[in-house]
Amino acid sequence: MKTRITELLGIEHPIIQGGMHFVGLAEMAAAVSNAGALGIITGLTQRTPELLAAEIRRCREMTDKPFGVNLTFLPSINPPDYPAYLRTIIDGGVKIVETAGNNPQPFLPALKAAGVKVIHKCTSVRHSLKAESIGCDAISVDGFECGGHPGEDDTPNFILLNRAAETLSIPFVASGGMANGRSLVAALALGADGINMGTRFIATKEAPVHDNVKQALIAASELDTRLVMRPLRNTERVLKNAAVERLLEKERALGASLKFEDIIEEVGGVYPRVMTDGEMDAGAWSCGMVAGLIHDVPTCKQLVDGIMAEAKSIIRGRLEGFLADQPAYA
């Protein structure tokens, strides 16, 4: 399948594995890239630029296909050494970067000079247009359904992708609610050039997470996510568990007086305990509503091949079939 995103990134299938904390390790990215999609290493999961350099080298040993690195720019009292991480990415020969969080504009000149393609994650049309105006090469449009941070506009992809198609000139992919061939065809119909999947890729054989996480995704329905940290305007969609219920109770009790410090027990240092140790009630961890569409744990190749086969069947069979007996239109 050829779209603007496959042409831009040099990949076979219009599918991207988004950055995921303590999931986007070298083996995850390599497995997705070897399947013909785009695998992504999550930069800040590596505690130092030196560790990221080692992870990039490790990924290169497992694939000769294109892969990218996610770098999320977060407001922080003690921010990571972003310039050092960027130098590591450039020096490592990575040619695709997924940015998220704050405006990446200060870092674009160095990336552009190195020939790096930049995909910026956006949860609104206005932010997408800003990213286009500053020189990003593509947009990952995150609808309200997505795991992680859906923004504060609460716009689902059925509207958001349509609006993006109306306004953007650069390629964009649909993120949030993407799981199968139907998702891909729907995204293409709404104007996107491919899909970005996070939660769905966690439930694969190669995903370097505890089996408890994969089984939790299989067991969950589309009704089992919750939105936390809304009072802090840092909304995150997470899978419900005991810690999430405690967090929500604190939000209800404290109301507008809620501070981050009040919920640190439920959100601080959670990912290693969940993803590595399998402590499913350790705290709040990102999960999309797409959990309701996850029923198995295939290999990345089986997942990608299945998506592409289903998409082609829908396009050539179901959709074309609707037009079979219709008169031709000029």
Side-chain angles (χ1 to χ4, degrees):
M1 188 178 288
K2 182 183 291 186
T3 73
R4 291 188 299 171
I5 210 72
T6 62
E7 296 294 285
L8 177 71
L9 305 179
I11 56 178
E12 184 180 355
H13 306 306
I15 300 171
I16 297 173
Q17 165 246 316
M20 294 174 284
H21 206 35
F22 277 83
V23 181
L25 303 182
E27 54 266 41
M28 177 89 260
V32 174
S33 290
N34 284 334
L38 181 73
I40 291 184
I41 294 170
T42 306
L44 294 185
T45 293
Q46 305 303 318
R47 298 186 310 280
T48 67
E50 292 75 21
L51 288 173
L52 176 58
E55 199 70 6
I56 291 170
R57 289 193 297 270
R58 200 162 71 88
C59 193
R60 287 213 184 283
E61 293 171 358
M62 291 184 274
T63 185
D64 58 1
K65 302 287 183 69
F67 64 89
V69 173
N70 165 281
L71 200 56
T72 300
F73 301 107
L74 298 171
S76 173
I77 297 173
N78 298 302
D81 188 349
Y82 286 118
Y85 275 96
L86 284 165
R87 285 194 301 273
T88 297
I89 292 167
I90 292 168
D91 292 346
V94 175
K95 294 301 180 183
I96 302 165
V97 168
E98 178 191 62
T99 56
N102 288 349
N103 190 332
Q105 186 169 16
F107 308 104
L108 288 183
L111 291 169
K112 291 289 187 177
V116 176
K117 303 298 184 186
V118 178
I119 309 164
H120 189 57
K121 297 190 72 134
C122 298
T123 61
S124 68
V125 171
R126 64 185 183 280
H127 292 148
S128 299
L129 286 170
K130 177 64 176 179
E132 179 179 74
S133 73
I134 63 175
C136 291
D137 298 284
I139 306 295
S140 181
V141 177
D142 265 18
F144 184 56
E145 307 93 329
C146 74
H149 298 279
E152 308 302 322
D153 291 348
D154 298 0
T155 307
N157 262 331
F158 217 79
I159 304 301
L160 193 57
L161 297 175
N162 229 321
R163 287 283 294 117
E166 288 180 345
T167 56
L168 291 175
S169 299
I170 59 176
F172 67 95
V173 296
S175 182
M178 303 296 122
N180 52 35
R182 288 189 292 272
S183 306
L184 176 56
V185 174
L188 296 173
L190 287 166
D193 300 282
I195 58 175
N196 177 299
M197 299 195 308
T199 303
R200 185 60 187 95
F201 271 121
I202 300 177
T204 56
K205 299 286 189 191
E206 297 92 342
V209 302
H210 198 285
D211 190 59
N212 288 354
V213 179
K214 300 176 187 184
Q215 294 307 314
L217 292 176
I218 290 175
S221 82
E222 65 275 17
L223 305 178
D224 289 330
T225 66
R226 298 290 183 266
L227 296 173
V228 299
M229 296 190 286
R230 298 228 88 174
L232 301 175
R233 293 191 61 78
N234 187 33
T235 302
E236 183 177 5
R237 185 178 297 281
V238 300
L239 191 67
K240 72 173 184 179
N241 60 27
V244 168
E245 294 305 322
R246 289 199 309 272
L247 195 165
L248 291 170
E249 181 55 40
K250 289 180 181 181
E251 290 185 358
R252 286 189 288 268
L254 295 172
S257 65
L258 181 78
K259 297 181 177 60
F260 183 75
E261 293 76 16
D262 298 320
I263 57 171
I264 189 67
E265 181 182 345
E266 286 77 28
V267 299
V270 168
Y271 279 84
R273 295 175 61 192
V274 173
M275 298 299 174
T276 304
D277 301 333
E279 296 180 36
M280 302 315 299
D281 289 322
W285 57 281
S286 295
C287 176
M289 295 176 78
V290 76
L293 298 175
I294 296 174
H295 310 301
D296 59 357
V297 182
T299 66
C300 288
K301 180 170 174 51
Q302 288 169 338
L303 177 60
V304 170
D305 286 353
I307 289 171
M308 296 311 301
E310 183 182 33
K312 289 174 184 177
S313 175
I314 292 169
I315 293 168
R316 289 175 175 158
R318 178 176 169 79
L319 297 185
E320 198 170 47
F322 290 141
L323 303 176
D325 298 318
Q326 299 301 312
Y329 287 90

